[in-house]
Amino acid sequence: MQLPHQTVQTPVFMPVGTAGTVKAVSQDVLETLGAQIILGNTYHLYLRPGHELIRRMGGLHKFISWPRAMLTDSGGYQVFSLSKLRKVTDNGVSFRSHLDGSSHFFTPEHSMDVQMALGADIAMAFDECTEYPAEKSRAQESLRLTMAWARRSLDHHRANRHTVPWCEELGGQTQNLFGIVQGGTYRDLRRESAERLVEMEFDGYAIGGLSVGEPRELTMETIAEVLPLLPADKPRYLMGVGYPDEIEMYARMGVDMMDCVLPTRAARHGLLFTSEGRLNIKAKRYAEDQGPVDPECTCMVCQRYSRAYLRHLMQCGEALSGILNSIHNLAYYLGIMERVRKSLQPEG
Ligand SMILES: [Zn+2]
């Protein structure tokens, strides 16, 4: 996948950098781990420090000193999950900040303006993430809104995308915009959503609204239904998924990009993913365990530190605990994708 700041090898896992940082992991470590693209959350960056400030700093890449690729979400998901007193109309969403209660209004055009100011390599269309479970009529109405907002997002983005902070510097290259397939767990709605988005000709396509509490078989069925409808020569992105076995399975089904807070969030709670399964580093049985987290892992944490030490750091609430745990979990996730990529390469 050729992006303005990086040629990305797919399938790829994207660590989530909510507020301009992948929690507890510095940019130089992310580079060492082989992260090719990271995600930023528009809602959080819009509220703090503000997209206009980031534009003045030369865009998100410069502001956080990340030379490789970035993607921003549309802000929609967080508006719906975090903010208070939101009101949805055809025009957009009004909401109050979860930080200070201040009032804001997001339209598809405004989400595009914010994302262009942030200047990631990939921006996402403004959508409504349909909750699970949702009645068919509710999923239909939600999809109607998402499709209208996709059109408006695309029109506004196409007309203004030359304004991203680095467009001139990179010889006229500019930001990509992906459309998001919604439709809940209804196959006909998913199909309609995919077909209409493909007609609009986005730069890539995402499958949204999954891993929101539905059974895993339904997640798989929906992905299997939608993937063949999306053009194979454009990136296909599955949003917000999942556990290690899931990301491997979906990558093998043909998903090119995935993101999830799970490896870093779980790490901060002491849950580590290994080739032997999940491990809770807080457990007493690791108190004197001199072995590494995962004997098969080549990450900088497993090369140097014991389970006993990591358990001790967690017990004491040391800042280094979250750092080392997050590094290992990210290495594990990125390693899965690397293995899948290698296995997909033609022999010789
Ligand atoms: Zn490791």
Side-chain angles (χ1 to χ4, degrees), residues 9 28 75 89 98 121 133 137 139 155 183 203 256 268 275 307 328:
Q9 306 296 325
D28 60 311
T89 64
H98 74 291
D121 298 80
S137 58
D155 290 345
D203 302 308
D256 299 303
R268 296 195 300 280
S275 56
R307 290 172 172 178
H328 166 77

Side-chain angles (χ1 to χ4, degrees), residues 190-227:
R190 285 281 175 181
R191 184 168 275 274
E192 180 194 336
S193 177
E195 286 168 354
R196 287 175 61 189
L197 287 175
V198 171
E199 274 171 29
M200 292 185 214
E201 296 196 20
F202 282 89
D203 302 308
Y205 299 90
I207 307 175
L210 290 178
S211 246
V212 290
E214 78 283 1
R216 197 191 270 201
E217 305 78 69
L218 217 45
T219 318
M220 267 190 65
E221 272 176 41
T222 309
I223 295 166
E225 177 81 22
V226 173
L227 272 183

Side-chain angles (χ1 to χ4, degrees), residues 297 299 302 328:
C297 181
C299 89
C302 291
H328 166 77

Side-chain angles (χ1 to χ4, degrees), residues 2 31 41 63 94 155 247 256-257 260-261 290 326 337:
Q2 308 274 356
E31 286 177 1
N41 283 128
F63 182 55
S94 59
D155 290 345
I247 67 163
D256 299 303
M257 308 160 66
C260 194
V261 294
Q290 294 188 329
S326 298
M337 287 295 139

Side-chain angles (χ1 to χ4, degrees), residues 262-264 266-267 271-273 325-334:
L262 188 61
T264 40
L271 180 64
L272 303 178
F273 299 103
N325 291 351
S326 298
I327 291 172
H328 166 77
N329 272 358
L330 282 179
Y332 188 72
Y333 268 66
L334 294 165

